[in-house]
Amino acid sequence: MIWNITSLLLLLASCAQAPQSAAPAQETKVTIIKQWHASATTSTLDIAAAKLMPQYANQKEIYDHLAKPLNEGKRLLLLAEGCQAEKKIDLSFNKKFNGWSMPLLSKARDSQNYGDILTALPMKLKAKYPTLVTVICADDQKLMKMNQTAFSDARGFIGFFLRLKEHQNDPKKYAVYHRALEEAQRKKIDDPMEFSREQAIESINHFKTLIEMRNQLFLAAIVKYLPHRPTVIIGGLHAQGLMNMLSDNQVPAEILTPVAYPISSEALPQQLLEELQASP
């Protein structure tokens, strides 16, 4: 029923035991780790408060999993989402995530609660193990912003659709949302409920297309750095599509699904589409 859309969308917005994966048929050359991260603009400088966030368990498990071989002196090449392709993350990296910068992380790296810091994992690992970890960005800033806009548009149009559907037998309330939609779109709309439904579908399809476009960039980076057996820490909506691309290119890979990762969220874009398309 269409009334499930709100709860599905909330779960998707929020973008399990120890990491698990099926044994690869060939020797693994690429590891994809599904992450559930907080919004980059959410401050986590209060470490104790950040430990209460729902993403903490997922992020801590990934950090501990990757830190173990690093503590044994092994090297790690990470491909990172969220920053422009081919840029390296080191002390000169000037972007902040969750209020944390590379200099700030480097200063804190010997603290007892360093592992509890909730921020971009590639930055956190590079700051802790500067000589063992190499981090290469593999994303595209423009596509990232377009992806965020498409999701925001989908959420907005779904909100209008739900409210209009709810009040379609109440002319007064229906008119309020009709007028608000026209003001937001700056044009006259004859059928606001159908308009918002169609725009929501278009936005979700655009969102999915942009995910695929970004995956092409991740694939190119993986192929380039394949001799280093790269690890990719990435949002789960990217993971299976990227895995399929690697399989098509005969690159042995595995997916790890860490603790507290909301697996059901990966099917939500398609579920939202199907529910909107089925709605009268």
Side-chain angles (χ1 to χ4, degrees):
M1 294 178 63
I2 195 65
W3 302 109
N4 292 329
I5 287 179
T6 300
S7 58
L8 290 170
L9 191 59
L10 288 173
L11 180 56
L12 181 59
S14 65
C15 149
Q17 307 165 351
Q20 303 173 7
S21 66
Q26 299 174 310
E27 184 181 7
T28 298
K29 292 187 177 180
V30 181
T31 300
I32 300 171
I33 304 180
K34 296 180 183 180
Q35 72 164 335
W36 183 24
H37 60 80
S39 169
T41 58
T42 299
S43 176
T44 60
L45 293 174
D46 184 334
I47 298 175
K51 290 177 68 175
L52 302 177
M53 294 175 64
Q55 296 89 353
Y56 171 79
N58 171 272
Q59 295 286 292
K60 184 64 163 60
E61 180 69 19
I62 297 173
Y63 177 80
D64 289 345
H65 175 71
L66 293 175
K68 185 176 180 180
L70 289 167
N71 288 331
E72 298 170 356
K74 296 180 180 178
R75 295 185 177 274
L76 174 67
L77 186 138
L78 285 174
L79 297 178
E81 66 173 330
C83 53
Q84 190 63 37
E86 289 303 325
K87 187 176 182 66
K88 285 190 175 183
I89 292 181
D90 52 27
L91 273 176
S92 66
F93 186 71
N94 59 10
K95 190 172 182 179
K96 288 185 178 181
F97 284 84
N98 310 111
W100 294 91
S101 64
M102 281 299 292
L104 192 58
L105 287 167
S106 295
K107 185 178 179 180
R109 71 185 182 195
D110 293 325
S111 61
Q112 288 187 341
N113 62 350
Y114 184 82
D116 293 330
I117 292 174
L118 186 61
T119 189
L121 285 165
M123 287 174 56
K124 182 177 170 181
L125 287 160
K126 178 63 178 178
K128 180 67 174 179
Y129 305 96
T131 62
L132 295 177
V133 175
T134 300
V135 182
I136 308 293
C137 297
D139 215 333
D140 183 273
Q141 297 281 6
K142 184 178 179 180
L143 292 179
M144 286 164 50
K145 290 179 180 179
M146 291 171 66
N147 229 163
Q148 293 165 357
T149 298
F151 176 74
S152 178
D153 288 346
R155 183 168 54 184
F157 285 121
I158 287 173
F160 272 114
F161 175 73
L162 291 175
R163 299 290 79 77
L164 289 161
K165 186 176 179 69
E166 178 183 2
H167 299 300
Q168 60 184 323
N169 295 321
D170 185 333
K172 190 173 182 179
K173 290 184 178 179
Y174 188 90
V176 170
Y177 288 103
H178 186 175
R179 183 167 58 253
L181 180 62
E182 288 184 331
E183 290 175 355
Q185 296 299 300
R186 299 181 180 179
K187 65 179 181 180
K188 180 176 174 55
I189 299 171
D190 294 329
D191 187 342
M193 194 160 73
E194 181 60 17
F195 176 85
S196 57
R197 186 182 75 89
E198 290 178 351
Q199 291 299 307
I201 291 172
E202 182 178 322
S203 296
I204 294 171
N205 278 325
H206 188 43
F207 174 84
K208 293 173 66 179
T209 297
L210 289 164
I211 290 288
E212 294 174 3
M213 292 172 67
R214 291 170 65 197
N215 276 353
Q216 291 287 349
L217 295 174
F218 298 133
L219 175 63
I222 288 171
V223 171
K224 180 175 181 178
Y225 294 100
L226 194 58
H228 301 280
R229 298 179 179 272
T231 293
V232 186
I233 304 174
I234 199 166
L237 286 173
H238 292 272
Q240 191 56 55
L242 185 55
M243 186 71 170
N244 292 342
M245 289 179 179
L246 291 169
S247 178
D248 291 342
N249 285 273
Q250 299 183 329
V251 176
E254 64 178 348
I255 295 178
L256 304 185
T257 303
V259 71
Y261 176 76
I263 295 175
S264 60
S265 66
E266 294 174 24
L268 294 183
Q270 187 60 36
Q271 290 177 14
L272 288 166
L273 274 178
E274 292 174 359
E275 292 200 26
L276 285 163
Q277 290 167 343
S279 180

